[in-house]
Each structure stands twice: as C-alpha cells, then as structure tokens.
Amino acid sequence: MTQTINSLYRQLPSIDKLLREPEIIPLVEVHGQTRVVNMLREMQEQARFNIQQHHSLPEWSDNWVASLHQRVRQDQASALKPVFNLSGTVLHTNLGRALLAESAIDAVTQVMRSPVTLEYSLDGASRGHRDRALADLLCELTGAEDACIVNNNAAAVLLVLAAVAQGKQVIVSRGELVEIGGAFRIPDVMVQAGCRLVEVGTTNRTHLKDYQQAINPETGLLMKVHASNYSIEGFTADVSGESLAQLGKVSQIPTAIDLGSGSMIDMTKYGLPAEPMPKDYLSQGIDLVTFSGDKLLGGPQAGIIVGKKPWIEAIQRYPLKRALRADKMTLAALEATLRLYQYPEQLPQKLPTLRLLTRAQNEIYDMAQQLLPRIQAYYSEKFLVRDEPCHSQIGSGSLPVDRLPSWALTFTAIDGRGSTLEKLACQWRNLNKPVIGRLYDGRLWLDLRCLEDENALLQALSL
C-alpha cells in the first residue's frame, strides 16, 4: 500500500515543470507568477490530501493546465454577480434592492475617476460639509429646514435616538415596535442608542392620551414607526403625525417618525398603494423624519434624516455621525437620483424603480407570449411550461404586503417531484448570469415584471 501511495506522489508534476507549459505562461503574464504559483501549490496540496484519504489522484489531475485555467476564472469572478430577478419582488433586499438610474451610474463613475469637492468649499477654498449639497436638495423636495445623510436607514434611526434622547425615555406605540430583516428591532436599537423604551397603547389601538399619560421629566422623544413590513387590520387606532407633533410642541418634547421605505411622491398617482411621504409629516410639525434611499426612493443604500434645523445640527455634531456617514459614491448616486424628482413628469421613464413598479400587466403578458414557445420547446421533455397571471410584491423586508398584477412563466415537473424543480432552480442559479425564480405551490415561477430584455434571458438559458 505504501508503495502504491508513493507511486501516486511521484505522478504529481513539479511547479517548475508546470510553469513551463505553453498554456500556463500567458496566465503568469496576466496574473503574475506569485498568484499562479500559490494556486498550483494549493492544487498540489489537494492532490496529496486526496492520495492520503482515498489512495487515488483527484479526477481533475488528468489535466492540470485545464484545471488551473478553470480555477483562475473562478478566482477572478466577482462575488457580486448580476442576476435576472424573476422572483416577483421588485425591491428584493437580498438582490440589492433598487436599480440605479443611468444618471446615478454616471455620477458614481465620475467621482470614482476624479478628485471631487466632497468636503471642499470652492467659495472660500476651505473645508465644507459633505452633506450640504444634498441637504439643500432634500429641503427643496420635502420642505425640511435641514437634512443629514448616513449609510442606511437603520443608522439614521440609531443616530436620531442617540443624539436626541440618549439617557432618556422614548415613547412608542406597542403596535409600532417593528422588526425588519436581519433581526433589526426597534427595542434593540433603543438599547444601543442608550435610550429607555416606554411602550404605550396596545398592539392594535393606541390613542393620544396614552402618550400624554406616559410623559414625565425623563421623556426625551415621542416617536412613531411606520409599519412598512406588516399590516394590522380590523379594530385599530393610531395617533396621527399632526396630533403627535402638537403634543410634542405643547410638552416641549421633540417628535420623530421612522418611515422606513419613505416615498418622495404620491404613489397613488401611478396606480400604486399609498405610502406616507416625508413632506407630509414635516408639514404636520414632526421634528425629524427618517427614511431609506434604496427602497421607494429608487437610489443607493442610504439613510436620510430631514427635519428642524436645530435638531439636524445637533445630529451632525454627534460623534457617532462620523462612523455612520455616507461615502462619495453614495452621495453622488443619491444626488443624481434626487435631481430626477425635480422633473416629476419624467420619473416613470428615468427612475428604474418606478418604471418597474408601474409596468402594466398586459405589457408583461405580451413578453410572456414571446418567450413561451421557445422555452416550452426546450423544457417540454421534463416540465409542463405555462404562462399564468400572478402578483408581484413591491419589497421583501419592507412593503411585502402590497401586490401588483403581473404575469409569469411556470414550470411543473412532469414526474411530480419537488426535487426535479429544485434541481432546475439550482441549474439556473449556476448560470453565468443566474436566473432567480420562486418555488411556490408545486411550481417554479418566473415573474417577468423585472425582465426588460427577453433576448438576454433566452441567451442566458442558451435558447
């Protein structure tokens, strides 16, 4: 046995010999000798381990050159792969949420290639503030006195709580103690911000008197949280922003609301479900409003705080702000996105999020009819492929309740096995550009709402 193992070891080619192979020399020229040698050493170690454990060479050892080329390709592949989002969720958290507008992509490219006035004032040749340009734009669009930008909405909520109410009590309705994706819970954020949560009302009904009775000298903030990822129906009541703002003014206690998704426009004008807008709460007198940049706004991941100038200035001075601030690429993309809102008539064409959300069902149906014959012909041996009406959802972690009429291609395994569908879904996930569908009700669904180039899908499926 030892003699057999030794003979297998002797079959392993030396690194020097491999480096002289004509097909490996170009890899060294492109990637450098250090990287190629390290990968060859890893392959040798794997081969030795296989010999020790299984008394045989690994299958790939028949062609070291081809195996090395494959490993180099895998090594160079980006971890963030473009995919076809046919899941039925437009703002899919796990797939990066909003697609950026072309103007935002151009803006990011520009600031990546050149020094920019991130914190430099051209007027006085002195240090400026990175939020200033966007703050002015947000004030124009929302009616706020001032604004602050951080790296996501969770950071915005944390910063508001810490800067405004650290060491004090924060009053929130029990029906608004939400949890979003990643186990981000409002009560836990309160603890991290150094605040003490005071729950008022009940799960389904909270009244203004509940807030009034809870106020005491230790109260630092009256807060509302928009329920963007769930819905309570039936015998319900909550406190309006206007009533809370008036109570805060009388009690001399600041007020805040976390909108989560935060739409900048009246969504009902486009036939979409109503979502609260920052400008509405600001006009009602709420001191601070937080919302996301990469959800209904349609921009990059960012947290936006708008509100009264004294409170925004206090937030900007708070030490935690530096740790949570947005970088130049985020700010560039966000500014370009916000500028689209200055021309509302063009929004459905230029803002991808709004374009996808407002696609008519009959338009998606027409696409399904174009795709169906070729896909049916290719998959008919193992699957019953049909086109069917379906409903897309706006978001996953947030806005999962509202549905949009859409159209899909569905795959039902002829053998009736769920494993056959799972195998097909796995094959699609392993394509050069993966196709992400949805397994539901014994079928694999490809919701076509987010597909804008049917030929690209056919090419990805090699049809």
Side-chain angles (χ1 to χ4, degrees):
M1 181 67 69
T2 300
Q3 185 176 1
T4 301
I5 291 177
N6 288 337
S7 66
L8 290 173
Y9 280 136
R10 286 194 292 269
Q11 294 180 45
L12 300 180
S14 69
I15 290 178
D16 288 339
K17 179 182 178 182
L18 289 168
L19 289 174
R20 291 193 295 270
E21 290 284 346
E23 294 179 355
I24 289 182
I25 292 174
L27 291 179
V28 175
E29 293 174 348
V30 173
H31 303 287
Q33 183 162 319
T34 300
R35 184 60 184 152
V36 173
V37 168
N38 287 340
M39 296 186 78
L40 289 172
R41 284 175 178 162
E42 290 175 4
M43 293 170 67
Q44 283 188 333
E45 287 300 318
Q46 291 174 8
R48 291 190 183 100
F49 180 81
N50 204 84
I51 292 170
Q52 292 171 359
Q53 296 296 314
H54 306 290
H55 302 158
S56 65
L57 290 167
E59 292 182 5
W60 54 260
S61 63
D62 292 338
N63 193 330
W64 282 70
V65 173
S67 180
L68 177 63
H69 274 269
Q70 181 181 1
R71 289 167 187 248
V72 169
R73 286 194 297 271
Q74 293 173 345
D75 181 64
Q76 295 299 306
S78 173
L80 299 177
K81 301 186 67 172
V83 303
F84 289 96
N85 176 16
L86 307 185
S87 65
T89 301
V90 178
L91 297 170
H92 198 302
T93 299
N94 298 341
L95 299 180
R97 290 188 181 147
L99 302 180
L100 293 188
E102 288 302 317
S103 58
I105 295 170
D106 292 341
V108 173
T109 302
Q110 184 176 23
V111 301
M112 291 172 66
R113 287 179 170 161
S114 172
V116 294
T117 54
L118 178 64
E119 292 185 355
Y120 186 86
S121 172
L122 293 173
D123 292 335
S126 59
R127 181 165 184 166
H129 196 290
R130 65 174 57 204
D131 289 358
R132 189 66 264 151
L134 270 72
D136 292 341
L137 188 52
L138 282 162
C139 290
E140 174 191 333
L141 294 171
T142 67
E145 294 179 9
D146 205 352
C148 171
I149 298 96
V150 289
N151 56 17
N152 62 26
N153 190 52
V157 174
L158 176 65
L159 186 56
V160 166
L161 290 169
V164 176
Q166 188 175 55
K168 298 181 179 181
Q169 296 178 357
V170 179
I171 302 176
V172 185
S173 166
R174 283 190 175 88
E176 297 174 359
L177 297 177
V178 305
E179 175 182 319
I180 63 173
F184 175 88
R185 294 180 171 182
I186 288 294
D188 295 339
V189 178
M190 297 272 188
V191 173
Q192 293 299 316
C195 304
R196 300 191 301 279
L197 170 66
V198 176
E199 304 175 26
V200 296
T202 62
T203 302
N204 61 318
R205 290 176 70 82
T206 299
H207 306 280
L208 187 62
K209 65 181 180 181
D210 296 319
Y211 280 91
Q212 292 171 322
Q213 293 170 358
I215 292 175
N216 63 63
E218 294 297 310
T219 303
L221 183 68
L222 306 179
M223 186 173 183
K224 281 182 64 65
V225 182
H226 174 55
S228 60
N229 64 348
Y230 68 97
S231 175
I232 299 176
E233 299 179 357
F235 187 59
T236 63
D238 65 354
V239 177
S240 69
E242 187 174 8
S243 297
L244 192 67
Q246 184 61 32
L247 176 61
K249 184 177 181 180
V250 171
S251 307
Q252 296 186 321
I253 298 171
T255 54
I257 179 166
D258 171 30
L259 292 183
S261 298
S263 174
M264 295 285 284
I265 53 175
D266 181 0
M267 304 295 285
T268 62
K269 290 184 177 179
Y270 300 93
L272 297 170
E275 272 292 309
M277 294 184 288
K279 66 179 182 181
D280 291 341
Y281 284 103
L282 293 172
S283 66
Q284 292 168 9
I286 294 292
D287 293 305
L288 294 164
V289 179
T290 64
F291 55 100
S292 294
D294 60 341
K295 296 177 185 173
L296 288 178
L297 180 64
Q301 177 179 295
I304 300 170
I305 310 168
V306 293
K308 302 288 178 58
K309 193 173 186 65
W311 289 115
I312 295 293
E313 289 178 343
I315 289 169
Q316 293 283 17
R317 292 193 301 268
Y318 195 76
L320 188 60
K321 168 57 168 39
R322 184 175 181 85
L324 302 177
R325 67 185 183 181
D327 72 345
K328 64 179 181 180
M329 290 175 283
T330 298
L331 293 174
L334 183 57
E335 180 183 7
T337 303
L338 290 171
R339 292 207 177 279
L340 295 177
Y341 284 87
Q342 294 177 308
Y343 309 94
E345 292 83 6
Q346 301 176 17
L347 267 179
Q349 292 76 42
K350 294 194 173 183
L351 192 68
T353 293
L354 191 57
R355 183 173 70 242
L356 295 175
L357 290 176
T358 56
R359 288 185 75 186
Q361 187 182 37
N362 59 359
E363 175 190 340
I364 306 171
Y365 168 82
D366 290 341
M367 177 177 284
Q369 302 315 303
Q370 294 177 31
L371 288 168
L372 186 61
R374 291 180 65 176
I375 291 181
Q376 272 183 333
Y378 188 82
Y379 289 98
S380 60
E381 185 176 334
K382 292 185 177 180
F383 301 95
L384 174 62
V385 184
R386 302 172 59 185
D387 68 288
E388 298 187 54
C390 66
H391 283 86
S392 311
Q393 63 180 15
I394 295 175
S396 49
S398 60
L399 301 164
V401 177
D402 297 312
R403 294 290 188 267
L404 307 173
S406 187
W407 213 270
L409 298 181
T410 64
F411 295 71
T412 305
I414 292 176
D415 62 12
R417 297 178 180 175
S419 59
T420 303
L421 286 176
E422 291 173 358
K423 183 178 180 180
L424 178 61
C426 182
Q427 289 174 353
W428 286 346
R429 292 195 302 270
N430 287 311
L431 295 172
N432 288 331
K433 184 173 182 180
V435 175
I436 310 299
R438 179 169 59 100
L439 285 166
Y440 171 72
D441 195 27
R443 284 168 287 178
L444 180 54
W445 296 70
L446 298 184
D447 186 325
L448 303 178
R449 172 168 292 277
C450 293
L451 180 66
E452 297 190 277
D453 185 350
E454 60 266 37
N455 290 326
L457 176 62
L458 292 172
Q459 184 177 359
L461 296 174
S462 300
L463 301 183

